[in-house]
């Protein structure tokens, strides 16, 4: 158990819909990272927040957005969903620039 | 652009048959190289961080080493429970934030 929690574990939805994925970092960790893992692309960095502020952006689509709240939990919002958005979405946390600990992931299926 | 290439893509070993996994990287300046283990449908599990060429770290049957261009994950006398995908990732000095760039992974299967 890494100490990072993610909900829900599974999410099945239809194209065009909007979903919200939630992540709670390890106690004391200020940074939260979101990654997408699909079968054909491996782990792709989406976005990083540090203590409530956006720190870095990766290959995140405009239809996706995220935020980190004062209690340090983070949410990833995915809208206008397409079939290709089906993937595992992982959240990771770290104290600063060191080791990143990953949560168990949310499996999103878009039908 | 930071790049990480892992080889082989897949590796089958017999229990007790030692081997090595390779991770080649290209990065403007290396802040750290990370190894993770991932079981199917689970989140990556942190194994090691290496920061400078010549550094080595060990954990049970695993030993990670680092040179200026690549890292090796040596598996000594593996057991079936070592079967997993092993991921290598780099963090660059000049990267905004502290993101990791991952390789595609090596899928290891250890047969009893």
């Amino acid at each position: 158990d890494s100490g990072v929690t993610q909900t829900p574990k599974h999410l099945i939805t239809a194209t065009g819909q909007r979903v919200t994925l939630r992540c709670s970092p390890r106690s004391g960790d200020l940074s939260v990272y979101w990654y997408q893992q699909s079968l054909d692309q491996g782990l792709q960095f989406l976005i990083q927040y540090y203590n409530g502020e956006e720190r870095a952006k990766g290959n995140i689509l405009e239809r996706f957005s995220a935020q980190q709240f004062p209690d340090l939990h983070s949410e990833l919002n995915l809208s206008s969903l397409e079939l290709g958005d089906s993937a595992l979405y992982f959240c990771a946390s770290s104290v600063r620039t060191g080791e990143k600990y990953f949560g168990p992931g949310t499996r999103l299926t878009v039908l | 652009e930071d790049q990480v290439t892992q080889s082989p893509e897949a590796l089958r070993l017999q229990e007790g048959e030692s081997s090595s996994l390779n991770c080649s990287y290209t990065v403007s300046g290396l802040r750290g190289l990370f190894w993770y283990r991932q079981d199917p449908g689970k989140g990556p599990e942190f194994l090691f961080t290496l920061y400078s060429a010549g550094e080595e770290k060990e954990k049970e049957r695993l030993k990670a080493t680092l040179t200026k261009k690549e890292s090796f994950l040596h598996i000594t006398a593996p057991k079936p429970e070592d079967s997993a995908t092993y991921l290598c990732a780099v963090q660059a000095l000049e990267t905004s934030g502290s993101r990791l760039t991952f390789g595609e992974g090596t899928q290891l299967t250890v047969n009893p």
Side-chain angles (χ1 to χ4, degrees), chain A residues 39-92:
Chain A
L39 283 176
D40 58 348
Q41 284 203 324
L43 272 163
Q44 300 292 317
F45 170 72
L46 295 177
I47 197 163
Q48 177 198 354
Y49 278 82
Y50 177 80
N51 202 21
E53 294 190 2
E54 182 184 302
R55 181 59 62 95
K57 261 187 174 179
N59 302 319
I60 188 166
L61 300 172
E62 285 191 11
R63 300 183 286 109
F64 296 0
S65 65
Q67 53 185 327
Q68 186 178 27
F69 295 87
D71 67 352
L72 300 178
H73 91 271
S74 178
E75 293 181 356
L76 179 67
N77 301 296
L78 315 177
S79 61
S80 303
L81 285 168
E82 302 175 358
L83 295 177
D85 297 328
S86 295
L88 274 165
Y89 290 84
F90 290 106
C91 165

Side-chain angles (χ1 to χ4, degrees), chain A residues 33 35 37 48 99-100, chain B residues 36 38 46 49 91 98 100:
Chain A
Y33 311 78
Y35 284 82
Q37 187 175 42
Q48 177 198 354
E99 293 82 17
K100 288 116 179 80
Chain B
Y36 287 84
Q38 186 176 26
F46 171 75
T49 309
Q91 183 178 330
S98 51
L100 296 180

Side-chain angles (χ1 to χ4, degrees), chain B residues 30 40 58 63 66 69 75 107:
Chain B
L30 183 69
E58 287 189 66
K63 178 180 175 181
L66 180 65
K69 293 184 178 180
I75 303 178
Q107 186 175 354

